[in-house]
Amino acid sequence: MMARHAGLIARWDAGIWRGVLLEGESGSGKSDLMLRALERGWALVADDRVMLWESGGRVYGRAPDTLAGLMEIRGLDVAPTPYRSFARIDLVARCVAAALVERMPEQAQVSLLNQAIPALPLVAVEPSAPAKLARALSHLGLKP
């Protein structure tokens, strides 16, 4: 098992829970994006740190035991939040500045535990960011 500084949210899609690993620098909007996604029906899996493991050619993630069910809401507090115990990671969203997102980027991938995972550059603070994540899960050729 490997720890990674990131957040993980999941969405019921195509009959399974699909996870999106949110990566980015501190202050890039990861927690804000997670909060907005939760308001749209996504589920929290992990905030701040994600424990990753590989099984059957897929990568999964969960919160460390000490952080399970906790979410930092910047400017408010660390709050207990309903959560899923784990999720399969089907997409990595790299939270970056708008200047770093191409209008029509090539589909990228990252390697997690020697598994190729589709990656998407994303401006986390854009109001459309949760909708973009949902569309990416449905339209990037991801298989159940």
Side-chain angles (χ1 to χ4, degrees):
M1 197 166 296
M2 167 184 137
R4 193 157 181 121
H5 177 75
L8 180 57
I9 54 175
R11 180 174 190 263
W12 185 255
D13 182 66
I16 60 169
W17 283 95
R18 293 181 157 182
V20 176
L21 189 70
L22 302 173
E23 297 186 325
E25 299 293 321
S26 181
S28 65
K30 296 182 302 291
S31 293
D32 181 76
L33 172 55
M34 288 196 321
L35 187 61
R36 286 181 287 124
L38 296 181
E39 293 295 315
R40 293 179 181 204
W42 291 72
L44 174 70
V45 179
D47 183 27
D48 192 49
R49 269 182 286 150
V50 181
M51 305 304 294
L52 303 174
W53 73 94
E54 183 272 334
S55 179
R58 298 286 194 166
V59 178
Y60 296 84
R62 68 169 180 84
D65 293 340
T66 56
L67 298 178
L70 297 176
M71 182 175 171
E72 178 186 345
I73 303 171
R74 189 177 288 242
L76 183 60
D77 200 354
V78 174
T81 304
Y83 72 102
R84 294 194 52 75
S85 58
F86 71 96
R88 186 177 85 188
I89 298 172
D90 284 331
L91 180 68
V92 174
R94 293 182 165 158
C95 301
V96 297
L100 299 175
V101 178
E102 296 178 32
R103 185 170 167 253
M104 300 292 283
E106 295 289 323
Q107 186 172 344
Q109 293 186 335
V110 297
S111 179
L112 292 177
L113 301 175
N114 297 316
Q115 301 297 320
I117 310 288
L120 175 74
L122 186 72
V123 181
V125 296
E126 287 182 336
S128 61
K132 287 179 181 179
L133 290 179
R135 285 194 176 242
L137 281 177
S138 297
H139 293 92
L140 287 179
L142 302 175
K143 304 286 188 261

